[in-house]
Amino acid sequence: MYAITIREPGDPDVLEWTEVPDPTAGEGEVIIDVAASAVNRADLLQRQGHYPPPPGASEILGLECSGTIAEIGEGVEGWRIGDEVCALLAGGGYGQKVAVPAGQLLPLPAEVELLAAAGLPEVACTVWANVVMHARLSEGEVLLVHGGAGGIGTHAIQVAKALGATVAVTAGSEERLESCRQLGADIAINYKEQDFVEVLRAETGGADVILDNMGAKYLDRNIDALKADGRLVIIGMQGGVKGELNIGKLLGKRVSVYAAGLRARPLEQKAAIVADVRERLWPLVEQGSVKPIVGQVLPMAEAASAHRALEEGTVFGKVLLAAKS
């Protein structure tokens, strides 16, 4: 098969479309003929040499895909060759075939095209695990999403609105903020011109839950933006890895700070998240309340261009890589 490989850590030009060995299905795994994968921030970090895959995972980039089951390994039940699926991966999505633990498979949702479904598994599992399963966002609460125009943000807006929450987002242009409003965002904050803490306090008194991709840069201000008993969930480090916490603020507000990745979780944890997503989120996808937001589709062989697009921050929603152009 062909896949995207990394010649050496560096800029997008180090990505190459080369012939590699086909994956094999181990016990409890299936082989998917990949229709498409999606570009995530973690892929950019791995390309630069900053985010190696977990032990035993494929060195090939790609944390999600859609496609058709081509082979079923020993011990797999409930799936058949020919089933159209999408899948959460620890790696391997930027290739024509990928091996996937069966517990990380999701059926193709009704009314969603196979190509577009490639942009669902990573964002769905990330948002659902952190905002719903851990932070317990509920009807009537306020969610603040930093980076509302990205793949995670566009998905989080829709999930939170479907759950009956008020949604605030940050983004860097009026055009991107307007797109967030069209998805259902109630409060749109231009982080280049406005202080999100002041806006939230004026509009809602603060946030109950914050989904943060910035890390250190926003740490103290996120605490200021939370209401009493609020929950800060950190899923990214775009603003740095080291920050300072005022414990007095935490105690005074009774807030919690939680940081969680998805890729390195044990298989049983990933399977539990995927099962909950299938049971509780997939019906919202199938009824159209939550949709994959696709901003750009490129041939997989042009992954370098896709990485540049994500780095430039001009795409609204997900950037997809089609395995067959």
Side-chain angles (χ1 to χ4, degrees):
M1 73 168 191
Y2 278 81
I4 292 292
T5 59
I6 303 171
R7 185 173 65 249
E8 60 186 8
D11 63 25
D13 290 332
V14 303
L15 300 178
E16 299 179 333
W17 185 241
T18 56
E19 192 168 6
V20 299
D22 285 6
T24 57
E27 184 175 359
E29 293 183 334
V30 307
I31 299 296
I32 295 176
D33 281 335
V34 175
S37 186
V39 182
N40 289 281
R41 290 280 171 187
D43 300 337
L44 276 56
L45 291 173
Q46 183 174 337
R47 186 202 76 221
Q48 295 162 355
H50 302 315
Y51 190 37
S58 173
E59 295 284 339
I60 296 169
L61 297 170
L63 301 181
E64 56 191 337
C65 75
S66 62
T68 305
I69 294 178
E71 182 182 339
I72 294 178
E74 184 179 350
V76 174
E77 298 180 353
W79 300 99
R80 297 177 299 177
I81 292 174
D83 283 346
E84 292 186 321
V85 296
C86 53
L88 179 69
L89 311 173
Y94 289 24
Q96 294 176 319
K97 296 177 181 290
V98 66
V100 188
Q104 293 167 215
L105 294 173
L106 287 157
L108 182 70
E111 309 303 324
V112 176
E113 294 183 354
L114 186 61
L115 186 76
L120 277 173
E122 174 73 12
V123 294
C125 291
T126 297
V127 170
W128 195 260
N130 288 290
V131 173
V132 180
M133 296 175 70
H134 181 81
R136 306 175 310 283
L137 180 73
S138 59
E139 183 177 2
E141 290 193 317
V142 177
L143 171 68
L144 169 62
V145 181
H146 290 301
I152 293 288
T154 54
H155 188 82
I157 291 168
Q158 297 177 82
V159 170
K161 292 304 296 182
L163 296 176
T166 296
V167 181
V169 300
T170 61
S173 72
E174 181 53 39
E175 180 182 5
R176 291 167 77 77
L177 290 171
E178 179 56 31
S179 295
C180 291
R181 292 188 190 98
Q182 292 177 11
L183 277 182
D186 302 285
I187 302 166
I189 304 166
N190 188 327
Y191 66 82
K192 296 179 179 179
E193 300 175 357
Q194 298 171 284
D195 184 329
F196 68 83
V197 178
E198 293 181 359
V199 173
L200 266 184
R201 284 175 171 173
E203 295 284 345
T204 68
D208 297 285
V209 177
I210 298 177
L211 185 63
D212 175 61
N213 60 358
M214 292 301 292
K217 183 177 180 179
Y218 280 4
L219 184 58
D220 189 60
R221 294 169 66 204
N222 277 333
I223 301 303
D224 289 338
L226 284 171
K227 295 178 180 178
D229 300 304
R231 291 87 74 195
L232 168 61
V233 182
I234 302 172
I235 58 169
M237 303 173 290
Q238 293 181 42
V241 299
K242 292 185 178 181
E244 188 171 294
L245 270 176
N246 184 326
I247 304 302
K249 289 183 181 179
L250 299 184
L251 290 171
K253 288 187 172 183
R254 303 180 303 279
V255 302
S256 61
V257 179
Y258 175 73
L262 183 60
R263 187 183 194 185
R265 287 178 186 254
L267 292 181
E268 60 270 19
Q269 288 189 20
K270 290 183 184 179
I273 292 168
V274 169
D276 208 60
V277 164
R278 181 174 181 175
E279 179 183 353
R280 297 202 285 160
L281 175 58
W282 240 226
L284 298 176
V285 176
E286 295 194 322
Q287 71 186 33
S289 299
V290 178
K291 301 177 181 179
I293 306 300
V294 178
Q296 188 173 14
V297 181
L298 291 168
M300 192 171 284
E302 298 177 17
S305 296
H307 276 224
R308 291 190 192 96
L310 192 62
E311 288 176 336
E312 290 167 0
T314 56
V315 179
F316 183 79
K318 299 283 287 192
V319 180
L320 301 187
L321 298 171
K324 298 177 181 179
S325 56

